[in-house]
Amino acid sequence: MATGTESPAATAAAAMADPSCPPFPLLEEEGQHEREEEENVPHGGELELPTVDLEAPGEALAAACRRLGVFRLANHGVPADLSARLFAVARDLLGRAPFHNKQAQPGYFWGTPALSSLRVRDVNWVEGFHLTLGRDHQPTAAASSPDLAALADLAREYGAHMARVARTLFGALAAALGLGAGQASAYLAEHDGFLRAYRYPPCPEPGRLGMEAHTDSSVLSVISQDLVGGLQVLHGGAWRDVAPCGGGGTGTGKLLVNLGDMARAISGDAFRSVRHRVAASRGDERLSLCYFAFPRDDAVISCRGSRYRPFTYAEFREQVQADIKATGSKVGLERFLVHH
């Protein structure tokens, strides 16, 4: 591991000593990549998150969505052995296989989860697999790798639990917002979500990000993570650490849920879409699983008195892709302000 006094050549050699590690560019090679607007944001220590009980979410759920937009989830009913198996397969596939083997597999990404055809401003210290969970999806390409086929099979089983969790949570939120049955159905297509398995390899450089600061485009995102920290959320003008909650196959661990841009739009800004990032670790690899749930493509997102004009989720997704292609970053809901 780099000590902080090694030469750039030694740092690069340390980074590439692991054959599973993608060829991440180092800061010496790519120049300072921090975004100007975030350079001076202070670090504010650990953030205590509220816990919501999925069996009785009650007012605690709506309060967490209004105040923070992120919370821990207890009594979620996801079998610990299923999570453990999924983490084990993901760890073997991402952390043990050579990079050139992974790169040839469908759904693999590194540096950014964005589509490979889109340019991004920064290269993040992350890699992973994107796994589609739609009911009509037939991942025949996964047969090219037995390990990837095993990951896809476990992901579908895990995804069924995630769909249940997402629908239960959104049902309670829909009631709190007074949504009609049609809106509640269209605003969450939970069976058509997707799962990403993320690996953040040990990073020889201090100060690098495993994932740049962003908000999710989802209605909600459900995260299971191992015991290596790194997740940070922006709260009160400072980056605050979120301690791992042990959901990664560790028995009774809680899940982590954060709201995305669509929850914010559906609620007319009553709910928060939390800005978050992942700090790279110099000593440990970090694994997490994240399930993302979205509205139906044709669902018209609107809220009485909202700052945003009505739009479909398909419009939002296309605008995000256009912005990333043009500028390297997502603009998000600001594009849909009434007077934009």
Side-chain angles (χ1 to χ4, degrees), residues 21-40:
C21 191
F24 298 112
L26 300 176
L27 291 180
E28 294 282 343
E29 300 167 355
E30 65 175 357
Q32 182 62 33
H33 72 298
E34 294 266 357
R35 295 186 180 180
E36 291 181 4
E37 66 268 25
E38 291 169 354
E39 286 179 350
N40 298 319

Side-chain angles (χ1 to χ4, degrees), residues 219-230:
V219 175
L220 53 85
S221 307
V222 185
I223 305 161
S224 182
Q225 54 188 333
D226 63 15
L227 295 176
V228 177

